[in-house]
Amino acid sequence: DIIKVDKSFLDTLNSNSTQIILSMIKKLSVESNSKVIVEGVEDKKQLSCLKDIGFRYIQGFYFSKPYKP
């Protein structure tokens, strides 16, 4: 149902190979009718790049710190 993308991909987001991998993950999610959640977004540049690829579900410190119940 859900594919989770680890923060480690965002550490090398400027790399062409990382962007290709993320694009393939997005394509796989469309073909398998799955949602993708990208973890670890820390700044606007990362958010913009992920939106350009087509990711809709994004979480990380850019939005808020983890909630402690």
Side-chain angles (χ1 to χ4, degrees), residues 8-62:
S8 61
F9 284 96
L10 300 182
D11 294 339
T12 58
L13 191 54
N14 292 331
S15 164
N16 190 43
S17 60
T18 297
Q19 290 187 16
I20 290 170
I21 291 169
L22 290 173
S23 295
M24 294 305 293
I25 290 170
K26 178 60 182 163
K27 183 177 179 180
L28 173 66
S29 74
V30 170
E31 291 179 8
S32 66
N33 199 28
S34 300
K35 294 179 182 174
V36 179
I37 298 175
V38 182
E39 299 183 315
V41 176
E42 296 179 349
D43 59 47
K44 191 173 185 174
K45 185 176 178 182
Q46 290 174 333
L47 177 62
S48 178
C49 183
L50 294 169
K51 283 185 171 185
D52 287 346
I53 293 172
F55 292 108
R56 294 181 50 205
Y57 303 101
I58 301 169
Q59 65 185 33
F61 284 130
Y62 180 74

